[in-house]
Structures are given as structure tokens and as C-alpha cells.
Amino acid sequence: MVNTVGTYANFQSTLNDMSSVEGKLLKQQEQLSSGDAFQSFSDMGSQTQQYLSLTDTISQTNQYLANHQTVEANVNTTSSVLTNVITAANSLQSLIAQRMSGTESNGFSSEITASWQSLVGQLNTNVSGQYLFSGSAINTPPINDSTFPTLQTPGMPDAGYYRGNSQDLTTRIDNTTLVTYNIRANDPAFQQLFAGLAMAQQGNANNDTAALKQAENLVQQGIKGITALQASVGTVAGQLVTSDTNLNNQKLYYQGLQESIGNTDIVSVSTQVAVNQGVLQAAFEVFAKITSLQLSSYLK
């Protein structure tokens, strides 16, 4: 107990220690209530740069994942359209085969026109205001839907029906992988389909079996090519799924690191609070005893 003038310095030191403990206790209580280990970046000291770097990495990962959603929607729709195109092309092939077998030609021209319109409708698919099969010319319908296809050279596929451009759409799905995620309607496989349409109309008009046979072969080749295109779209879809999984796992890891820096360690801080509350309680008891003494006690 302080009972002389000589021990006054100890009394003042006790007050200072109490103030320091109170400050620590206040900060610890703020950590517990907010869940944040630091109230500002300046409190982090040497950990600030690492914390900010993790924030940037998590933000970039979120951007990749958001971009994936748009690309995945386009890829899935493209795959669905290609399935419909293959179905329509198989029907076209059967129609030509029937005509070659001597089936009545009445209505054949109209059915070929209907097949063309079906293909045009599929390839002019628009998602969220963007045409899927026009290359990077996403605001332009890829297929001329007003004129039935004709060939510059009979039997030789060309892209005279196509209105898009030859530039593909690419996206970076993570820090190291760039993928092409579109299919253009001027691909040789589609050129073969449209050439088959043109030759089928020509063969029917001239009752030319050789032209009809050429049309059938062109459609068959087109179906094979489009099936291969669909497989390539499936590959991109698989890459996106794998990348989604990896990015989400990385995001959880980075968030864990960031939380280890920025979040309050509840158990540790709660223990520190209990200790400091005990220290303060003891200090207050000592202080109360000191302040109850008379001045004469200090002058002895």
C-alpha cells in the first residue's frame, strides 16, 4: 500500500497502467463486437500489403466467375442450337433420299424451302440481344433470311448466305487459359448444308438425279462437320465447369487467408478480455484503498 510521499510515483504509475489496460480492453471489445481484428489499415502494419493483395485476387476471381456465367449461357445455347440443326439436317437428308427414290416431286420445293427456313431460324438465334453465330459481329444476324441460297459454282460450297464476320469470340477463363467459345455460321460444315439445299432445289427443278445425289452427299458431310463442332462446344463447356470448380476452391482459400488476417480470433481475444478485466478489477481495488487514505498517511 502507498503510505509515503516517496511511493507517490508508484501511485501515478498504477493510474497509467490502468489507463493502458482500459485502452486495450476497449479495443478488444470492439474486435469482438465488429468481428474485425483491425479498425483501420494503419492498425495492420506489415500485414496491410498482404491483405490488400488478397482483396485484389478475390475480386479478380469473382470477375472470372461472373464472366463464366455469360459465356456458359452462350455455350449451352449454342450446343442446343447445334442439336436442332443436326435434327433438321437429318430430316433434310431423308427428304432428298425420298426424292431420289422416285417419290412424287410435288411439294418437294416447298419442303426444301421449309428446311432452309428452319436452319435460318436456328442459326439466327439471339441471346440477350447478341447473335451467337455471327462471329464478333454480334449485332448482325448471321444468315440472309430473305434469299434462298445459291452457289457461285454448282456443287461447290460457299458462304454467300453469311452476313457475320470471320472474327471469333474469345475469353480468358482464368489467369492462364484463353478459350474460343463461339461457332460461326460460315463454318465449312454449314456451307455444306446450304450448298446441299441449293443443289437439292436445282436437282428437283431439272429432275437431275446426279444433282440430288450431290445434295445428299453435301448434307451428310455437313452433319458430320456440325457433330464435330458440337463436340468442340462440349469441350469448352467442360473447361468452364473445371475452371469454375478451381476458381471457387481458390476463392475459399484466399478468403481463409484474408480472414486469418482481418477477422477477430474470438477465443484468443475473449481470453485477453477476461485477463484485462481481472487486471482492471484488481487495480481498481488497489486504487480505492489508496484514495481512502488521509494526507497524513503520505507524510509519515
Side-chain angles (χ1 to χ4, degrees):
M1 179 182 296
V2 176
N3 55 12
T4 68
V5 172
T7 58
Y8 175 75
N10 291 334
F11 172 72
Q12 188 62 42
S13 176
T14 299
L15 288 179
N16 292 338
D17 290 343
M18 287 174 60
S19 177
S20 175
V21 172
E22 285 179 329
K24 291 178 181 179
L25 185 59
L26 177 61
K27 183 175 182 179
Q28 290 160 358
Q29 289 171 335
E30 288 178 347
Q31 290 175 333
L32 289 176
S33 62
S34 68
D36 296 326
F38 305 100
Q39 302 306 309
S40 66
F41 286 128
S42 61
D43 294 337
M44 289 187 180
S46 62
Q47 293 179 295
T48 302
Q49 187 58 47
Q50 183 183 7
Y51 186 90
L52 292 176
S53 178
L54 288 168
T55 298
D56 290 341
T57 300
I58 292 170
S59 177
Q60 184 182 52
T61 302
N62 285 333
Q63 187 61 58
Y64 280 137
L65 290 169
N67 292 344
H68 285 189
Q69 292 182 3
T70 300
V71 175
E72 285 169 350
N74 287 356
V75 167
N76 291 336
T77 301
T78 297
S79 181
S80 178
V81 168
L82 292 178
T83 297
N84 294 336
V85 168
I86 291 172
T87 299
N90 281 323
S91 297
L92 173 60
Q93 182 182 345
S94 296
L95 180 63
I96 296 172
Q98 290 173 9
R99 175 68 177 84
M100 289 171 59
S101 68
T103 302
E104 178 60 47
S105 63
N106 291 337
F108 180 81
S109 179
S110 296
E111 290 175 323
I112 289 295
T113 299
S115 294
W116 165 66
Q117 291 172 337
S118 175
L119 290 171
V120 169
Q122 292 296 328
L123 293 175
N124 279 350
T125 294
N126 183 300
V127 175
S128 300
Q130 298 183 358
Y131 291 97
L132 296 183
F133 294 88
S134 293
S136 65
I138 57 177
N139 297 320
T140 302
I143 308 299
N144 179 357
D145 61 359
S146 62
T147 305
F148 189 86
T150 58
L151 298 174
Q152 296 178 5
T153 302
M156 296 295 295
D158 62 56
Y161 59 87
Y162 183 64
R163 290 181 172 177
N165 64 23
S166 296
Q167 182 176 353
D168 286 320
L169 299 176
T170 61
T171 187
R172 188 171 293 282
I173 62 174
D174 54 41
N175 288 335
T176 61
T177 309
L178 187 69
V179 299
T180 298
Y181 64 91
N182 71 300
I183 299 296
R184 299 196 313 271
N186 66 338
D187 186 273
F190 295 114
Q191 291 185 34
Q192 288 165 340
L193 279 189
F194 282 93
L197 286 167
M199 291 305 296
Q201 282 288 40
Q202 179 181 317
N204 179 62
N206 298 328
N207 201 26
D208 184 343
T209 302
L212 289 170
K213 181 61 178 176
Q214 191 172 22
E216 183 183 36
N217 289 337
L218 285 166
V219 172
Q220 287 176 340
Q221 294 168 19
I223 292 172
K224 290 180 181 179
I226 294 167
T227 301
L229 290 176
Q230 190 171 44
S232 70
V233 171
T235 298
V236 173
Q239 287 180 288
L240 288 168
V241 170
T242 299
S243 183
D244 279 344
T245 300
N246 292 339
L247 287 172
N248 277 309
N249 288 339
Q250 290 172 14
K251 178 181 174 181
L252 289 175
Y253 172 71
Y254 295 138
Q255 286 176 330
L257 289 178
Q258 191 176 55
E259 288 171 1
S260 70
I261 296 173
N263 288 8
T264 300
D265 183 338
I266 301 298
V267 174
S268 175
V269 175
S270 296
T271 300
Q272 293 173 32
V273 167
V275 170
N276 286 329
Q277 286 176 333
V279 170
L280 274 183
Q281 180 65 33
F284 280 131
E285 290 175 359
V286 171
F287 183 73
K289 291 180 180 180
I290 292 174
T291 54
S292 66
L293 295 175
Q294 300 296 321
L295 177 61
S296 59
S297 299
Y298 293 95
L299 296 176
K300 290 180 181 180

